[in-house]
C-alpha cells in the first residue's frame, strides 16, 4: 500500500486524548455554560500562568485578539503600525480595522523573521506600534526590536499565533511586549476544536477593558460602559484547551525532536533551511524549506505520498486587498523570494519515526 503522510492529522491527536476530551465536553454540556463562564475563566488563569503574564483574556479567535489589542492601545486613524512583510494577513488587517496603516518591513534572509535592522527606517512620527510575529514558531529578534520600541516610545505587540510555548533566551514569548495575542485555530500548536484566541497582558486596566470590549461593553447584565463587541470564547473551547494545555510542552518537545532530525539529516544542496539562532527555542509550528523550483519539489513529494503546504504564496503587500497601500513587486525582496520558493513539510507531534524517516529520505532523493 502506498504511504500517505498528511500535512496535518488532527484526528490522531484527538484519539490520543479522547477520553479526557470527551469527558471535558460532557461536563460543559452538563453545566450548559456555553459562552464565557467558569471554564473560560479557568483557562484564562491557566494560560496566563503558562505564558508568564498576569492576565489572559480569552476571545473568539486570533484575528479578533489582534483587533482588540489595537483598540486597547488606542491605535486609530492616521497611525502607522509596523508589521513584517512575511506573515499571515491577519497581522496586518489588525491595523486596518482601526483605520491605521500597516507599514511592512522585510525579513532577515537567514531567519526569515522581521529584520530589526530594517525597522528604524520605517519609523515616522505616526508610528504607534510594532507587531512582531514569531513566525513558524521561531521567536524573532526581540531584544533588538525592544531597543527600537523603547527609543521611539512605541508599543510592542507580539503575535504569538504560531508560537505557543516558544522560548526567547529562556523566557516564553508572549511576555515581552505590552500585549501579546494568541490564536487557538485548530491547526495551531495549541488548537481548539473550533475558533478561539487570547490576549495576554500584565496591565490590569488593559485586562479590565478587554473583558468589557469582548462582551458588548457590559459591566453587568444590561449595563454597558462602552460600545463593545461579541468576541467571547466558548465554554467548550476553553474546556478542550484546558485539557490540551497540559500536553503542550510534551507536544512541543516532540516537534523539536522531529525538527532536529530534519535539520541534522536533510542533506540536499537544492534545499535551504531556516536558520535557528542559538538564543531561540522554537516550537516549529511549521517546518519551512526553500528551494529554487518549489512546485517541482511539491509535486515530487506528492508522488512519494507526502502532503505539503505553502506559508505563504503571496506576500501581504502584493495582495489585491492591499492595492491602495501602493506597494510593488521588488519592495521586499526577501519576503518575495520566500513566497516564491518556500514549502512547508509535515511536522506534528503525532508523526511516527517511520514517517519522519520517509520525509527525510524523500527530500534527500529530490533532484532539481
Ligand atoms: C493563525 C494566525 C492568526 C489569526 O488567528 P485566527 O485564530 O485564525 O483568527 C494571526 N496571525 C498569525 C501569524 C497566524 O498564524
Amino acid at each position: 500500500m502506498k504511504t500517505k503522510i498528511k500535512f496535518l492529522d488532527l484526528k490522531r491527536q484527538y484519539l490520543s486524548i479522547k477520553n479526557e476530551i470527551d469527558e471535558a465536553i460532557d461536563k460543559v454540556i452538563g453545566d450548559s455554560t456555553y459562552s464565557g463562564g467558569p471554564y473560560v475563566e479557568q483557562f484564562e488563569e491557566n494560560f496566563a500562568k503558562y505564558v508568564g503574564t498576569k492576565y489572559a483574556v480569552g476571545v473568539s479567535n486570533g484575528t479578533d485578539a489582534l483587533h482588540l489589542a489595537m483598540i486597547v492601545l488606542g491605535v486609530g486613524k492616521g497611525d502607522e503600525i509596523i508589521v513584517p512583510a512575511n506573515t499571515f494577513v491577519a497581522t496586518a488587517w489588525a491595523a486596518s480595522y482601526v483605520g491605521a496603516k500597516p507599514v511592512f518591513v522585510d525579513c532577515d534572509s537567514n531567519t526569515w523573521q522581521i529584520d530589526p535592522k530594517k525597522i528604524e527606517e520605517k519609523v515616522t512620527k505616526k508610528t504607534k506600534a510594532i507587531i512582531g510575529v514569531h513566525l513558524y514558531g521561531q521567536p524573532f529578534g526581540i531584544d533588538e526590536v525592544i531597543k527600537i520600541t523603547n527609543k521611539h516610545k512605541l508599543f510592542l505587540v507580539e503575535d504569538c499565533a504560531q508560537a505557543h510555548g516558544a522560548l526567547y533566551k529562556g523566557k516564553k514569548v508572549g511576555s515581552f511586549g505590552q500585549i501579546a495575542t494568541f490564536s487557538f485555530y485548530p491547526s495551531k500548536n495549541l488548537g481548539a476544536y473550533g475558533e478561539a484566541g487570547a490576549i495576554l497582558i500584565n496591565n490590569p486596566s488593559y485586562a479590565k477593558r478587554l473583558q468589557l470590549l469582548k462582551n458588548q461593553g457590559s459591566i453587568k447584565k444590561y449595563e454597558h460602559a462602552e460600545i463593545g463587541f461579541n468576541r467571547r470564547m466558548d465554554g467548550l473551547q476553553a474546556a478542550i484547551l484546558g485539557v490540551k494545555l497540559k500536553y503542550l510542552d510534551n507536544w512541543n518537545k516532540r516537534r523539536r525532536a522531529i525538527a532536529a532530525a530534519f535539520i541534522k539529516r536533510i542533506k540536499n544542496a537544492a534545499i535551504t533551511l531556516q536558520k535557528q539562532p542559538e538564543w531561540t527555542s522554537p516550537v516549529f509550528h511549521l517546518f519551512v524549506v526553500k528551494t529554487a523550483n518549489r512546485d517541482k519539489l511539491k509535486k515530487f513529494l506528492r508522488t512519494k505520498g507526502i502532503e505539503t503546504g505553502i506559508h505563504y504564496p503571496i506576500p501581504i503587500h502584493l495582495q489585491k486587498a492591499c492595492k491602495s497601500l501602493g506597494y510593488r513587486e521588488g519592495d521586499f525582496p526577501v519576503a518575495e523570494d520566500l513566497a516564491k520558493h518556500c514549502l512547508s513539510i509535515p511536522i506534528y507531534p503525532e508523526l511516527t519515526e517511520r514517517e519522519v524517516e520517509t520525509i527525510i529520505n524523500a527530500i534527500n532523493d529530490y533532484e532539481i
Side-chain angles (χ1 to χ4, degrees):
M1 203 179 72
K2 192 148 174 47
T3 52
K4 172 93 184 160
I5 303 176
K6 288 194 191 180
F7 183 63
L8 183 63
D9 191 340
L10 294 175
K11 188 151 182 197
R12 275 194 201 176
Q13 186 175 78
Y14 166 60
L15 292 176
S16 75
I17 51 172
K18 184 177 185 308
N19 289 345
E20 255 184 289
I21 291 281
D22 291 356
E23 206 176 289
I25 291 173
D26 282 349
K27 210 150 165 258
V28 177
I29 296 174
D31 294 347
S32 303
T33 49
Y34 296 118
S35 180
Y39 293 97
V40 174
E41 285 163 24
Q42 185 64 59
F43 176 70
E44 288 175 337
E45 197 182 315
N46 292 344
F47 195 61
K49 200 178 285 169
Y50 178 81
V51 175
T53 57
K54 284 214 185 79
Y55 310 98
V57 178
V59 294
S60 35
N61 58 62
T63 306
D64 288 345
L66 282 161
H67 181 191
L68 294 176
M70 292 293 104
I71 295 174
V72 90
L73 292 177
V75 177
K77 215 168 152 53
D79 293 335
E80 293 178 357
I81 303 298
I82 288 174
V83 297
N86 181 32
T87 177
F88 182 58
V89 291
T91 315
W93 287 181
S96 308
Y97 290 153
V98 293
K101 191 167 106 181
V103 173
F104 300 109
V105 168
D106 208 357
C107 357
D108 177 276
S109 58
N110 292 309
T111 64
W112 308 345
Q113 304 293 334
I114 191 165
D115 186 344
K117 293 190 294 302
K118 293 177 194 150
I119 292 177
E120 219 163 357
E121 65 199 55
K122 295 295 174 82
V123 174
T124 72
K125 279 200 206 69
K126 296 177 179 171
T127 310
K128 196 113 190 208
I130 297 174
I131 309 181
V133 182
H134 306 295
L135 198 69
Y136 311 146
Q138 184 200 79
F140 62 84
I142 297 176
D143 283 347
E144 290 156 282
V145 173
I146 285 181
K147 258 189 218 140
I148 298 165
T149 55
N150 283 346
K151 181 170 161 196
H152 297 278
K153 304 212 164 33
L154 309 174
F155 293 116
L156 173 62
V157 178
E158 290 176 81
D159 181 344
C160 304
Q162 305 190 357
H164 318 69
L167 303 174
Y168 177 82
K169 298 185 179 171
K171 193 172 155 214
K172 286 212 183 83
V173 302
S175 57
F176 290 91
Q178 281 67 45
I179 293 201
T181 62
F182 283 82
S183 163
F184 305 116
Y185 185 74
S187 65
K188 304 285 159 102
N189 287 33
L190 179 61
Y193 288 179
E195 303 284 342
I199 306 160
L200 284 280
I201 54 270
N202 285 315
N203 181 325
S205 64
Y206 287 171
K208 211 167 146 194
R209 176 121 192 266
L210 287 164
Q211 289 290 356
L212 288 191
L213 283 171
K214 76 169 191 184
N215 188 27
Q216 311 284 16
S218 170
I219 31 176
K220 60 182 188 187
K221 206 159 194 183
Y222 305 126
E223 261 184 54
H224 304 269
E226 65 173 311
I227 298 171
F229 304 87
N230 176 359
R231 303 275 170 84
R232 292 179 298 257
M233 183 187 262
D234 288 349
L236 278 170
Q237 302 310 338
I240 289 162
L241 289 166
V243 171
K244 292 181 71 173
L245 181 58
K246 294 185 286 181
Y247 294 93
L248 179 60
D249 282 341
N250 269 335
W251 287 334
N252 281 339
K253 204 167 140 196
R254 172 75 184 139
R255 283 177 188 267
R256 286 188 184 118
I258 296 168
F262 286 162
I263 291 165
K264 186 162 169 219
R265 297 185 41 220
I266 291 178
K267 297 240 180 290
N268 186 332
I271 308 282
T272 308
L273 304 185
Q274 183 190 21
K275 290 275 182 317
Q276 309 293 338
E278 77 286 355
W279 34 259
T280 66
S281 185
V283 288
F284 299 98
H285 171 59
L286 296 168
F287 196 95
V288 178
V289 305
K290 229 177 71 171
T291 189
N293 193 341
R294 181 256 316 283
D295 295 334
K296 187 175 168 193
L297 175 62
K298 187 170 177 60
K299 218 181 266 170
F300 175 79
L301 292 176
R302 196 186 304 139
T303 65
K304 301 265 185 179
I306 299 164
E307 281 180 2
T308 55
I310 299 172
H311 302 87
Y312 297 91
I314 305 171
I316 313 180
H317 67 285
L318 300 178
Q319 293 284 352
K320 195 173 160 199
C322 292
K323 218 169 164 184
S324 66
L325 294 173
Y327 289 101
R328 272 176 306 180
E329 193 152 355
D331 284 342
F332 303 110
V334 182
E336 289 167 25
D337 174 62
L338 267 167
K340 279 198 195 92
H341 301 121
C342 71
L343 189 71
S344 308
I345 61 176
I347 186 160
Y348 42 97
E350 297 75 23
L351 279 177
T352 65
E353 286 307 316
R354 211 192 153 114
E355 286 168 331
V356 172
E357 201 67 30
T358 303
I359 294 166
I360 292 169
N361 291 337
I363 293 177
N364 286 342
D365 285 346
Y366 172 72
E367 286 170 26
I368 300 182

